[in-house]
Amino acid sequence: MFFGGKAQKVLVSFVLILAGASMANTSRANIRCKASDQSRADERNRMVETQIKSRGITDTKVLRAMRCVPRHLFVLDFDRKQAYEDTPLSIGKGQTISQPYIVAFMTQAAELKPTDRVLEIGTGSGYQTAVLAEIVHEVYTIEIVPEFSHRASKLFHRLHYTNIHTKIGDGYKGWPAHAPFDAIFVTAAPGHIPPPLIKQLRVGGRIVIPLGGTRQHLIRITKTKAGLEQESLLPVRFVPMQGIVQHKH
Ligand code: SAH
């Protein structure tokens, strides 16, 4: 009896542990984040509800990605508290991490699929890169400022992203070795669309890019067999693209 009782108790607690574990698994499985650090998830959920869903972003893959990426690790130390506020923040050297809504908007505009291979120009903090990596198969990202690229690479490694490939260089030229891409994101504003990026986009692929000088518009270009379709989506303000684009007109 004594042993039976004990065995029963052990069994009951074993079943409870199993139930607990499977509940934890289910909630993890529902979230399915690639980022290994999920601290401050409540703030991210609130950010998605009040800043992103409320402004009409509906793509569930985008909403999930925005709930997954720990934005507070991509901002500077003294901005950690404000990381989930409705605003862009400085990342140093006159560059900024975009407002969460703009990141979500650009990501939704590219109509991504899980099998996509994506190119990003302007790694910056790496936040947009991580959002893309949560959704697609592979992300290739180019940054012209070595320090930004190094900082972001370290963070990708720390968060266990294995599908992000970084490169230091001028993104104007794209990354021909990995072309063609299903989608291309440009997060610094050039005065014109860099022709190499069009070339490196597959037919049916999309480029999302802020175009213009002081007054910019977010543009979506779709490459079709017949040529390029261009749609103007939203007035925006991004930092200007650096490098050879400055000398070409
Ligand atoms: N997506 C970034 C936004 C960073 S701001 C984020 O979420 O944080 C734009 C970035 O583009 C800056 O880091 C800037 O250094 C970089 N950049 C500007 N011109 C570039 C170029 N020609 N090639 C690659 N990166 C460029």
Side-chain angles (χ1 to χ4, degrees):
M1 274 314 280
F2 176 78
F3 285 108
K6 190 168 182 190
Q8 216 168 16
K9 258 190 212 157
V10 170
L11 189 67
V12 166
S13 42
F14 183 63
V15 168
L16 283 177
I17 288 167
L18 272 186
S22 90
M23 265 167 70
N25 275 336
T26 325
S27 58
R28 258 192 90 84
N30 284 343
I31 301 172
R32 292 197 323 271
C33 294
K34 288 180 190 160
S36 55
D37 186 328
Q38 284 303 303
S39 53
R40 296 178 68 175
D42 290 351
E43 285 169 84
R44 276 194 297 288
N45 290 338
R46 210 172 311 129
M47 171 189 86
V48 167
E49 295 302 320
T50 60
Q51 302 171 31
I52 295 171
K53 267 176 116 172
S54 61
R55 290 195 181 109
I57 303 293
T58 51
D59 184 331
T60 51
K61 297 187 293 302
V62 176
L63 298 174
R64 187 189 57 78
M66 300 297 293
R67 288 190 185 103
C68 281
V69 181
R71 193 171 196 266
H72 61 282
L73 302 179
F74 292 82
V75 304
L76 296 176
D77 283 348
F78 55 82
D79 277 334
R80 294 245 193 274
K81 259 194 173 156
Q82 281 128 275
Y84 296 100
E85 287 179 17
D86 192 12
T87 176
L89 292 166
S90 165
I91 54 169
K93 299 186 193 289
Q95 305 300 315
T96 52
I97 175 173
S98 305
Q99 178 191 8
Y101 169 65
I102 293 295
V103 173
F105 185 92
M106 285 183 77
T107 310
Q108 173 166 279
E111 296 170 357
L112 300 171
K113 290 196 298 295
T115 51
D116 282 351
R117 294 168 59 258
V118 169
L119 175 68
E120 180 195 28
I121 311 303
T123 316
S125 68
Y127 178 67
Q128 169 85 70
T129 324
V131 169
L132 296 173
E134 291 284 349
I135 300 173
V136 301
H137 190 50
E138 301 289 344
V139 185
Y140 297 85
T141 183
I142 307 176
E143 170 57 53
I144 205 165
V145 178
E147 198 184 314
F148 285 143
S149 184
H150 292 143
R151 201 201 290 167
S153 298
K154 263 194 215 155
L155 189 50
F156 299 148
H157 187 72
R158 175 178 156 197
L159 291 172
H160 299 153
Y161 283 111
T162 53
N163 59 340
I164 298 177
H165 313 276
T166 61
K167 175 179 159 140
I168 298 167
D170 192 332
Y172 187 92
K173 295 179 278 185
W175 199 336
H178 296 288
F181 299 100
D182 298 293
I184 300 179
F185 289 79
V186 183
T187 68
H192 64 269
I193 301 160
L197 300 186
I198 303 276
K199 206 171 158 200
Q200 291 170 32
L201 187 66
R202 76 159 171 83
V203 172
R206 288 86 44 210
I207 298 184
V208 182
I209 181 169
L211 265 190
T214 39
R215 293 185 58 201
Q216 306 160 1
H217 270 85
L218 195 65
I219 306 287
R220 175 170 54 198
I221 296 156
T222 308
K223 191 173 181 176
T224 68
K225 278 191 189 133
L228 301 177
E229 279 168 15
Q230 186 165 323
E231 298 156 85
S232 180
L233 305 176
L234 192 75
V236 285
R237 264 175 66 189
F238 280 75
V239 293
M241 187 184 258
Q242 308 295 318
I244 49 178
V245 73
Q246 307 266 354
H247 312 290
K248 295 199 180 200
H249 296 287

